[in-house]
Amino acid sequence: MKKVMVCGCGAQGSTICRRLDEEPNIEEVVCADYNLAAAEAVCKLMKKGTPKQVNAAHVDEIAKAAEGCELIVNVMPLEFGVNVMQAALQIKACYQDLSACENVVEGFPAYDTWLEGIKYMYTEYGRRFAENGTTAIIGTGSAPGVMCVMARKAVNELDECDTIACMVYEGTRTKRFIPFFWSPEVALCDMEEDAYAFENCEQIRTKPFSRPIKRNWPECGREVTLVEHAHDEPVYIGFNREKYFKGCKNAYFKYGGTGIEFSEGLYKAGLLHHEPEEFEGHEIVPFDWVLKHIPMPPKDPEVIKSIIDEGIVEDNGAFVCEAYGKKDGKDIMVDLHVSSPGLEEAYERAKMTGEMYLTGQGAFLYTKLLVNDMVPQKGLISSDMLDDQQVEQYIAWANDLGITYTIDIKEGVKFDG
């Protein structure tokens, strides 16, 4: 029987906790959060949960709370990632992160910090986990995470790959003001940052909200616009293009929908930067001031139900991976679409929001691989680096949860981004 700690009991962390509670080979789930009330709230929905208050600013405090755990799942904001990872190394536990740590290595210019950090994680932290005989997986939410598995599935339809476009459109709008159904802090940090693209076999930076493309997907019911957005997928694909992505030369992440529409005006107004400003004799940080006024995403089933009862204005979206390349000498586009329950259906199925359902449960499926000893790789890998057998197992489990996909193969279609 295994003991696991989930560090962070927000919308996604609480989902992972609840799913772990159902795993037969799990003895105890330590639900850790700086806010003890948040940890206690999720434990009330569980049988095996143990709430603990943990300040993730202190590695030793994380390690003490995780004593006896074989796995730590990190669902904390980016700035705490290194501490949680260090704690996992300290107690020789496996490690899972829904995103990827930032600032893991000093001395690089701001332009290169995150790219060099990912390299450093693959190499230096990979070495440390391998020496412990343990495994770390990063980028394990919906995007990256589910998207990385589906990108692998799409690329496996090709003999050689030229371009991968990972695209997400979120169209959930409720009468209650909820611009983000996941962490507003993480969302706005991504909105403010220059994006990443892999173009002509090189990592490049692009401006947020730039280089729009349009798609008319049936699941959206109309033509939608998607733009550049800071995300992991192009970075992972660029690093792993030869072994896992059939020599892919170009990779993009495009994003659209409610969160983009809400954030673009804030970005253009200069309200998402982190530099202090003087205002009427007081020093404020625009990002912090905006964040203070954005509601947290709902996670309590009663709150979710009340939001649904107040009224859903719109509940659609698309989660798409397009892979372009050659098959049997012909130019091919692989059009892969993921389907997952929306807000109302997710609540009916599991008392969750649609975001919790896809991201939280998508993350949990990586946890499920780890706790069932199905990840023999030692060291540190990103979510795109599963082997083909693990990819198929992940997809089979996702299908059981109602997270499914369709593939359409089209000849002679070129990427228009």
Side-chain angles (χ1 to χ4, degrees):
M1 300 292 281
K2 293 181 170 63
K3 181 178 176 181
V4 176
M5 183 167 90
V6 178
C7 200
C9 295
Q12 313 313 334
S14 62
T15 301
I16 299 167
C17 290
R18 289 165 60 187
R19 283 303 184 197
L20 278 168
D21 198 52
E22 300 170 3
E23 285 294 297
N25 64 338
I26 296 297
E27 179 180 10
E28 182 182 2
V29 182
V30 177
C31 304
D33 200 285
Y34 183 75
N35 180 358
L36 182 59
E40 291 173 338
V42 68
C43 286
K44 288 179 181 178
L45 303 173
M46 302 168 60
K47 297 177 182 177
K48 305 173 187 175
T50 301
K52 288 191 179 181
Q53 185 174 30
V54 175
N55 184 348
H58 305 294
V59 174
D60 288 343
E61 190 170 329
I62 303 167
K64 182 178 180 181
E67 188 175 346
C69 291
E70 297 176 51
L71 168 67
I72 300 177
V73 183
N74 177 26
V75 203
M76 297 293 291
L78 288 173
E79 63 265 29
F80 298 110
V82 173
N83 290 348
V84 183
M85 188 163 58
Q86 292 282 12
L89 285 166
Q90 186 172 309
I91 67 169
K92 296 188 176 181
C94 290
Y95 175 78
Q96 179 189 344
D97 196 332
L98 269 67
S99 53
C101 302
E102 61 177 12
N103 300 325
V104 294
V105 57
E106 300 292 336
F108 292 98
Y111 180 93
D112 293 325
T113 297
W114 201 69
L115 289 174
E116 293 299 332
I118 296 297
K119 289 182 186 176
Y120 194 79
M121 291 178 75
Y122 283 145
T123 55
E124 180 61 21
Y125 280 97
R127 178 187 62 78
R128 296 179 195 178
F129 278 103
E131 287 175 352
N132 276 352
T134 54
T135 305
I137 310 180
I138 61 173
T140 62
S142 56
V146 177
M147 184 66 80
C148 292
V149 167
M150 295 302 175
R152 286 283 308 285
K153 184 69 176 176
V155 167
N156 281 347
E157 297 290 332
L158 300 171
D159 294 330
E160 57 185 271
C161 180
D162 180 82
T163 299
I164 299 171
C166 302
M167 296 178 284
V168 176
Y169 183 86
E170 294 176 329
T172 300
R173 294 172 173 86
T174 60
K175 289 187 176 179
R176 188 181 300 188
F177 175 63
I178 306 172
F180 305 107
F181 278 84
W182 70 106
S183 166
E185 181 178 2
V186 173
L188 290 177
C189 281
D190 287 349
M191 299 291 180
E192 183 266 343
E193 185 181 355
D194 282 356
Y196 291 86
F198 185 67
E199 202 162 75
N200 299 319
C201 298
E202 292 185 0
Q203 300 283 1
I204 65 169
R205 301 301 296 268
T206 63
K207 290 298 179 184
F209 309 103
S210 69
R211 306 206 293 183
I213 63 171
K214 295 185 182 295
R215 292 292 186 271
N216 198 338
W217 292 313
E219 50 263 62
C220 295
R222 66 180 186 280
E223 185 178 73
V224 298
T225 301
L226 304 101
V227 296
E228 293 286 289
H229 182 69
H231 245 243
D232 305 47
E233 289 88 339
V235 176
Y236 295 166
I237 291 169
F239 283 137
N240 298 315
R241 56 184 290 269
E242 292 291 349
K243 185 172 183 179
Y244 294 102
F245 293 101
K246 307 285 182 74
C248 178
K249 301 176 182 65
N250 307 283
Y252 305 95
F253 184 88
K254 301 284 187 176
Y255 189 30
T258 311
I260 285 287
E261 293 162 12
F262 171 76
S263 303
E264 185 172 7
L266 296 173
Y267 173 79
K268 289 180 176 178
L271 294 174
L272 295 184
H273 71 78
H274 298 263
E275 298 301 319
E277 293 182 357
E278 285 289 330
F279 178 73
E280 295 185 352
H282 299 280
E283 187 177 82
I284 64 168
V285 176
F287 182 95
D288 295 343
W289 184 249
V290 169
L291 185 63
K292 175 182 173 63
H293 295 280
I294 295 179
M296 293 300 292
K299 60 179 180 176
D300 181 86
E302 292 182 5
V303 176
I304 298 169
K305 179 65 163 58
S306 70
I307 291 168
I308 294 171
D309 288 344
E310 287 173 18
I312 299 173
V313 177
E314 185 178 21
D315 192 15
N316 61 44
F319 195 94
V320 179
C321 178
E322 296 175 354
Y324 300 80
K326 290 190 178 294
K327 178 75 172 180
D328 299 327
K330 298 178 180 179
D331 288 331
I332 294 292
M333 172 212 182
V334 182
D335 190 19
L336 187 151
H337 289 235
V338 174
S339 177
S340 180
L343 176 56
E344 194 162 15
E345 184 184 350
Y347 179 79
E348 291 172 356
R349 280 174 171 258
K351 300 295 186 289
M352 299 175 184
T353 65
E355 175 65 29
M356 292 170 70
Y357 201 96
L358 180 60
T359 301
Q361 297 197 132
F364 165 71
L365 295 181
Y366 286 96
T367 314
K368 189 176 176 77
L369 286 170
L370 286 164
V371 299
N372 283 283
D373 301 322
M374 298 177 72
V375 187
Q377 299 98 316
K378 303 303 177 188
L380 184 145
I381 62 174
S382 47
S383 55
D384 57 308
M385 295 168 67
L386 299 180
D387 63 32
D388 286 343
Q389 184 177 354
Q390 291 164 335
V391 166
E392 293 303 325
Q393 179 62 77
Y394 184 103
I395 289 172
W397 282 337
N399 184 74
D400 292 340
L401 294 172
I403 300 170
T404 60
Y405 73 94
T406 60
I407 283 184
D408 188 13
I409 308 294
K410 303 175 183 178
E411 290 189 14
V413 180
K414 299 288 187 179
F415 180 61
D416 63 356

